[in-house]
Amino acid sequence: MATDSTPHANRKVTLADIAAGCDVSRATVSLVLRGSPLVNKLTRARVEEELRRQGYVYNRAAANLRRRTSSSIALVLNDLANPFFAEFATGVDEALGGGGYVTLLGSTGESVTREQAVLGSLLEHDPAGVILSPAEGSDAGQVLRTIGVRTPLLLFNRELAGKVSPDAPWDRLMLDNQRGARLATEHLIALGQKRIAFFGGHAASSSCQQRHAGYVEAMKAAGLRIEPHWRIECAPNRVDAAAQCGALFFESPAPTAAVCYNDAVALGLMLGLYQRGIQPGRDFAVTGFDDIAEAGLSAPPLTTLASTPRARGKQAAELLLQRLREPQAEPQRIVVPVQLVVRGSSCPPATA
Amino acid sequence: MATDSTPHANRKVTLADIAAGCDVSRATVSLVLRGSPLVNKLTRARVEEELRRQGYVYNRAAANLRRRTSSSIALVLNDLANPFFAEFATGVDEALGGGGYVTLLGSTGESVTREQAVLGSLLEHDPAGVILSPAEGSDAGQVLRTIGVRTPLLLFNRELAGKVSPDAPWDRLMLDNQRGARLATEHLIALGQKRIAFFGGHAASSSCQQRHAGYVEAMKAAGLRIEPHWRIECAPNRVDAAAQCGALFFESPAPTAAVCYNDAVALGLMLGLYQRGIQPGRDFAVTGFDDIAEAGLSAPPLTTLASTPRARGKQAAELLLQRLREPQAEPQRIVVPVQLVVRGSSCPPATA
DNA sequence: TTCGGGACTTGGAACGATCTAAAAATCCAG
DNA sequence: CTGGATTTTTAGATCGTTCCAAGTCCCGAA
């Protein structure tokens, strides 16, 4: 007893060790592990005791290999450091964990090259599916080629560039960007704003295009002019937004309000405005997009569009799990509505 | 040619398929894949062509099984939605990716129960190591029992509760909480503050204890009194902090400044102060801890302690990879200094 | 005493890679 | 040519699990 009760310190405990330890076959131990009703109560008890005694831990990789299954999902995000995506990831992980899956994380830092590398590396671990929020400029053909057709893909937040024939063979979960930006713009117009800029984001990104389209839609519907220099591009982060702030005022007529690409940009813009002695929420109206946690805590608090990223994460995970259950179902494209949250950063024009 | 150029649509391409496809053995294909110099140039070319043609993707799980290695690291965080940890995770993932590892993500939402479940589930995937920022109240014995002694553990940010004999057999990467809080307190004292509270966090958490100790240290060194009701506990998030704000003013003498457990708490407290008509940075001084991105953007911008979470993530990953290289080295305990960042939220007492 | 059949158990072949030791092919000097 | 050295390739076992088909045991019916 003393001999085998001290398993060799440098090897993991396996089924065979347990089997040897209580004198049954590996097959029986396997049945016990999986709670099969086939095995006798006494045997089960004996095996379970031995499992505990030796401190066995299941090797899911081996099981997955044999069963040709997978118990992981790859989650690839363009910017994990952005609180919006951090919340999203939390939601995904919670839901996946509930479904018995494990999250393989990859963040691409908005680089298409890294995205390819990360996808490639994660795919070698044979995930059951992929949730991807693509980097800006990420190409449909390329992504499809590295993911292959066998692994289901759920696209979040952005479309991929480039057409795929005949129809994108993946599911999509998108925010209603256009409607959201339209709501924000209409809200500013209702406050009496007339000279409204669209600030931030890159024109190449699909979500930016959609948000810009919503802005244009609202402006046109209200019969308002749009000056070309009211469209300022910048990277979707605070730093670049603050740096680009000045560009709004190079030419006249200068805008008195801005619909921003997202909250990060809006917060950066407000910072830039302060540095110019312009007080957002009084001298200049600003709206954001996403309603990240700090949106309610900035000064002034930010008027923005709420998209409840954690719930989106949960939803994304559930959509993918559903797809795994029914691989043959029609690809879905879900557009979730966003909600306007009015706070202090939107105001009537100062000179009105 | 036409027959085998269309691999069966429903099975993954394996080494054997490639071997069959170009009439060599599996062993040879394996050598090619791993860039062995043993294989003839022509054969290599032939195999590589076939790999491309069939769209082979490497199955790292199978390889890991055979080689008894692992190419993943588990990253378990108590609160991924907190931007501090999101940044940290980004740093970890970047560094791990560089080392050829993949990140298995798990977030515990500050629940010890979930932490156990998550750790258990991730360990079944046989990670080479674990990076853990434990949930509040997480117990050393329990964690050690589920992780086992074979898998190296790197502890970040918090110590585990309960003693382990003779010495904790894991590496630790900690912030210099005590010194940080002391610096913040000394800064307030230098501004002329005398009635300084310590606000937020749970007394059970090690980081909170350390920060509180730093505060006490500075107060004592300056010969200042500490009233018991100047120690307010709350959950380390904005919402609870805002709700607990009132507790500071139930008894006199009321404090005129507060050293907060972290930035989230400080931002919440500032929100609560506003709601009471008290303007932080003018009527009441506030400091935070972490220097999360929005600390510089709040109104007033937050005086806090910078810990550069992304760099910490990188460092954590590198420490763990180092440990994998030298499993027998002495356990390390690294305490990284934090830097005081003075911004607008700290001010002299209003009545001075 | 034999037989059918439930209730359990089990040996051995998978899964997709790697490793080892040895075979096969090639080369080259004598 | 031949024999040994060198280069290249390979069969088969192996990693830790699951699956399959077949085995054992025991009990009551024929």
Side-chain angles (χ1 to χ4, degrees):
Chain A
M1 191 192 229
T3 42
D4 67 354
S5 71
T6 311
H8 190 309
N10 230 349
R11 245 185 77 267
K12 258 166 205 160
V13 179
T14 76
L15 272 195
D17 297 322
I18 304 299
C22 53
D23 221 57
V24 297
S25 71
R26 293 175 348 260
T28 304
V29 180
S30 177
L31 290 174
V32 170
L33 280 176
R34 287 173 293 153
S36 158
L38 287 181
V39 28
N40 182 293
K41 274 196 174 49
L42 267 69
T43 318
R44 173 184 306 279
R46 228 161 18 107
V47 170
E48 276 170 348
E49 167 58 19
E50 187 70 13
L51 287 168
R52 218 169 306 118
R53 204 174 64 81
Q54 296 205 28
Y56 171 79
V57 350
Y58 189 72
N59 184 334
R60 202 163 288 274
N64 281 333
L65 177 60
R66 176 59 175 98
R67 305 182 51 194
R68 296 149 152 271
T69 55
S70 162
S71 55
S72 58
I73 301 283
L75 174 63
V76 179
L77 298 173
N78 53 313
D79 183 11
L80 179 58
N82 180 330
F84 174 76
F85 290 109
E87 284 272 354
F88 178 78
T90 306
V92 169
D93 188 60
E94 276 174 15
L96 288 184
Y101 286 84
V102 130
T103 310
L104 292 173
L105 181 67
S107 71
T108 65
E110 210 70 272
S111 144
V112 177
T113 316
R114 262 191 66 77
E115 179 175 291
Q116 279 300 114
V118 165
L119 280 174
S121 152
L122 294 184
L123 281 167
E124 292 188 350
H125 290 84
D126 188 33
V130 176
I131 298 179
L132 170 66
S133 169
E136 249 176 35
S138 180
D139 178 68
Q142 211 171 0
V143 167
L144 200 53
R145 213 169 309 122
T146 73
I147 292 194
V149 286
R150 197 175 325 296
T151 313
L153 167 64
L154 183 132
L155 211 60
F156 173 66
N157 191 48
R158 285 183 187 157
E159 299 287 350
L160 292 170
K163 267 283 156 265
V164 172
S165 61
D167 208 15
W170 52 63
D171 300 301
R172 283 120 103 205
L173 178 62
M174 299 291 156
L175 304 181
D176 196 342
N177 289 308
Q178 178 157 352
R179 184 159 167 283
R182 203 190 72 214
L183 289 175
T185 313
E186 287 172 353
H187 163 66
L188 292 175
I189 293 171
L191 285 170
Q193 295 284 1
K194 294 190 167 18
R195 306 211 303 271
I196 307 174
F198 185 92
F199 188 84
H202 291 308
S205 111
S206 73
S207 59
C208 188
Q209 283 167 9
Q210 292 165 356
R211 291 175 192 183
H212 186 254
Y215 152 81
V216 170
E217 185 185 6
M219 293 295 273
K220 286 208 170 140
L224 294 175
R225 234 186 105 68
I226 301 178
E227 300 287 338
H229 66 278
W230 291 351
R231 171 78 182 89
I232 312 289
E233 293 194 34
C234 75
N237 61 57
R238 287 179 180 82
V239 178
D240 203 38
Q244 292 298 319
C245 171
L248 284 171
F249 308 105
F250 285 163
E251 296 176 50
S252 38
T256 59
V259 171
C260 292
Y261 169 64
N262 70 10
D263 285 356
V265 164
L267 293 170
L269 173 59
M270 295 209 294
L271 194 64
L273 290 169
Y274 268 121
Q275 288 165 352
R276 284 183 166 62
I278 303 170
Q279 190 178 322
R282 195 193 66 188
D283 311 329
F284 193 98
V286 174
T287 69
F289 210 114
D290 289 347
D291 195 27
I292 61 180
E294 57 263 53
L297 297 161
S298 61
L302 187 61
T303 293
T304 187
L305 293 143
S307 51
T308 51
R310 189 177 300 213
R312 286 323 116 225
K314 183 157 179 280
Q315 187 176 13
E318 281 163 358
L319 280 170
L320 189 54
L321 295 181
Q322 179 55 32
R323 161 69 48 199
L324 294 176
R325 259 173 257 125
E326 295 185 37
Q328 299 307 331
E330 271 300 288
Q332 295 194 55
R333 178 169 201 274
I334 294 190
V335 177
V336 303
V338 295
Q339 211 172 354
L340 184 68
V341 180
V342 177
R343 300 203 184 93
S345 69
S346 52
C347 57
T351 57
Chain B
M1 191 192 227
T3 41
D4 67 354
S5 70
T6 311
H8 189 308
N10 229 351
R11 244 185 78 265
K12 258 165 205 159
V13 179
T14 76
L15 272 196
D17 297 321
I18 305 298
C22 53
D23 221 57
V24 296
S25 71
R26 289 172 358 252
T28 305
V29 180
S30 178
L31 290 174
V32 169
L33 279 176
R34 286 173 295 151
S36 159
L38 289 181
V39 28
N40 182 291
K41 275 195 173 52
L42 268 68
T43 319
R44 174 184 305 279
R46 229 165 12 111
V47 170
E48 276 170 349
E49 166 58 20
E50 188 70 12
L51 287 168
R52 218 169 306 117
R53 202 174 66 79
Q54 296 205 30
Y56 172 79
V57 348
Y58 190 72
N59 185 334
R60 203 164 286 275
N64 281 333
L65 177 60
R66 176 59 174 95
R67 304 182 53 196
R68 296 147 151 271
T69 55
S70 161
S71 55
S72 59
I73 300 283
L75 173 63
V76 179
L77 298 174
N78 54 313
D79 183 12
L80 179 58
N82 181 331
F84 175 76
F85 290 109
E87 283 274 353
F88 178 79
T90 306
V92 168
D93 188 60
E94 275 174 17
L96 288 184
Y101 286 84
V102 131
T103 309
L104 291 173
L105 180 67
S107 71
T108 64
E110 210 69 272
S111 144
V112 177
T113 316
R114 262 192 67 77
E115 181 174 290
Q116 279 299 115
V118 165
L119 279 175
S121 152
L122 292 184
L123 281 167
E124 293 188 350
H125 290 83
D126 188 33
V130 176
I131 297 178
L132 170 65
S133 169
E136 249 176 34
S138 181
D139 177 68
Q142 211 171 1
V143 167
L144 200 54
R145 213 168 309 123
T146 73
I147 292 193
V149 286
R150 197 177 323 297
T151 313
L153 168 64
L154 184 132
L155 211 60
F156 173 67
N157 191 51
R158 285 183 187 155
E159 300 287 351
L160 291 171
K163 268 281 155 266
V164 172
S165 61
D167 206 16
W170 53 64
D171 299 303
R172 284 120 103 204
L173 178 63
M174 300 289 156
L175 304 181
D176 197 342
N177 289 309
Q178 178 157 351
R179 184 160 168 281
R182 203 189 73 215
L183 288 176
T185 313
E186 287 172 352
H187 163 66
L188 292 175
I189 294 171
L191 285 169
Q193 295 284 2
K194 295 193 167 15
R195 306 210 304 271
I196 307 174
F198 186 91
F199 187 85
H202 291 306
S205 112
S206 73
S207 59
C208 188
Q209 283 165 9
Q210 293 166 355
R211 292 176 192 180
H212 186 255
Y215 153 81
V216 170
E217 186 185 5
M219 293 294 274
K220 286 206 170 142
L224 293 175
R225 233 187 107 68
I226 301 177
E227 301 286 340
H229 66 277
W230 291 352
R231 170 78 182 89
I232 312 290
E233 292 194 36
C234 74
N237 61 56
R238 289 177 180 82
V239 178
D240 203 39
Q244 293 299 317
C245 171
L248 285 171
F249 307 106
F250 284 165
E251 296 177 49
S252 39
T256 59
V259 171
C260 293
Y261 169 63
N262 70 10
D263 285 357
V265 164
L267 293 171
L269 173 59
M270 294 210 293
L271 194 64
L273 290 169
Y274 269 122
Q275 287 165 354
R276 284 184 166 63
I278 303 170
Q279 190 178 321
R282 195 194 65 187
D283 312 329
F284 195 98
V286 174
T287 70
F289 210 116
D290 289 347
D291 196 27
I292 59 179
E294 58 263 52
L297 297 161
S298 60
L302 187 62
T303 293
T304 186
L305 293 143
S307 52
T308 52
R310 190 178 300 214
R312 287 323 117 226
K314 185 161 177 280
Q315 187 176 12
E318 280 163 359
L319 280 170
L320 189 54
L321 295 181
Q322 178 56 33
R323 161 71 45 199
L324 294 177
R325 260 174 256 124
E326 294 185 36
Q328 298 308 331
E330 271 299 288
Q332 295 194 56
R333 178 170 201 274
I334 295 190
V335 177
V336 303
V338 295
Q339 212 171 356
L340 184 68
V341 180
V342 176
R343 300 204 184 93
S345 70
S346 53
C347 57
T351 56

